[in-house]
Amino acid sequence: KVSVVTGAASGIGSAVAVELVARGSHVVVADLDAAGAIRAAAELGPSASAATVEVADAAAVTDLVTRVVAEHG
C-alpha cells in the first residue's frame, strides 16, 4: 500500500500519516512546507518519504501523483 497525505507536515495530516504507517502503508508526506514534510517523513521512518506540493495547483498535484506511481507502482 502507498498513501499520499497532503498537509502531513503537521496537525491532522500528520496524525493521518502516523496511522497509515501503523497500518502498513508507505506514506508520502506531502506539504507546501518542504522542511516540515522532510522532518515529518524522517520521524515516521523508512515507511515514509517527503514531497512538496501546492494543492491549489492542479498540475503540481498531477505531477506528484505521477511521480509517486513511477516510484512506488
Side-chain angles (χ1 to χ4, degrees):
K1 295 183 261 183
V2 177
S3 305
V4 176
V5 181
T6 59
S10 63
I12 294 170
S14 177
V16 169
V18 167
E19 183 64 24
L20 288 168
V21 166
R23 292 179 182 219
S25 183
H26 177 89
V27 174
V28 178
V29 175
D31 204 284
L32 184 58
D33 174 7
I38 291 167
R39 182 177 55 255
E43 290 172 1
L44 289 170
S47 292
S49 55
T52 304
V53 67
E54 167 56 78
V55 295
D57 180 347
V61 173
T62 299
D63 180 59
L64 172 62
V65 171
T66 300
R67 287 184 284 136
V68 170
V69 169
E71 186 172 335
H72 299 285

